[in-house]
Amino acid sequence: FMQFWVDADGNGSGAVPSPLIHFGLGEAAAIGTYSDFKAHLFLSGVDTTYQLSARDSAGATSLVTGLTSDTVYNLWMVVDNASDTYDVYMNTGSGAATVGDLVGDDVTFRSAGSGDLIQFGVGQQGTAVDYAFLDNISYDTAGQNLTNVIPEPATLGLIAMSALGLLAVRRFQI
């Protein structure tokens, strides 16, 4: 699971974003080149419209077009290492992914692998103006977990209030 978005005003600089950012999983101890990616996605576009694509052994495949800036997208990559394929799910909001959120089904690895995918990598291509952000990256080896691991704001508020309450109780127990 991870989240991504593109900042429309170039992170306050006023620059027009034109991201070309690659990210994914690899089996090498360090991802040094694009060929080190096995499960490989990339975000590209100009100004306010973007697309998410996958890179497999045959080339690039567009998964979702018409993505807009200043929108946070949730992304799940469900990897089947034994078959060298992965599924991609994407949605917005705080809900879990569903079958209707499947945007890439049995995407083939960029190149066949023989080991575990142990590294997450990010790369920028060329001199593109990247104001794309990846955030809240999590990894789960338990299988297909399509839950949104980011708590809803109400849950965060409850946690914060509980923590403040515990601090207040401890402070007065001297």
Side-chain angles (χ1 to χ4, degrees), residues 65-86:
T65 61
L67 302 177
T68 58
S69 54
D70 293 333
T71 300
V72 176
Y73 294 95
N74 303 312
L75 183 72
W76 292 261
M77 295 174 71
V78 179
V79 178
D80 183 346
N81 211 29
S83 69
D84 290 343
T85 63
Y86 60 103

Side-chain angles (χ1 to χ4, degrees), residues 96-120:
T98 65
V99 173
D101 297 320
L102 181 67
V103 296
D105 187 26
D106 284 332
V107 179
T108 307
F109 282 6
R110 180 181 176 122
S111 58
S114 59
D116 292 336
L117 302 182
I118 59 171
Q119 197 67 254
F120 178 81

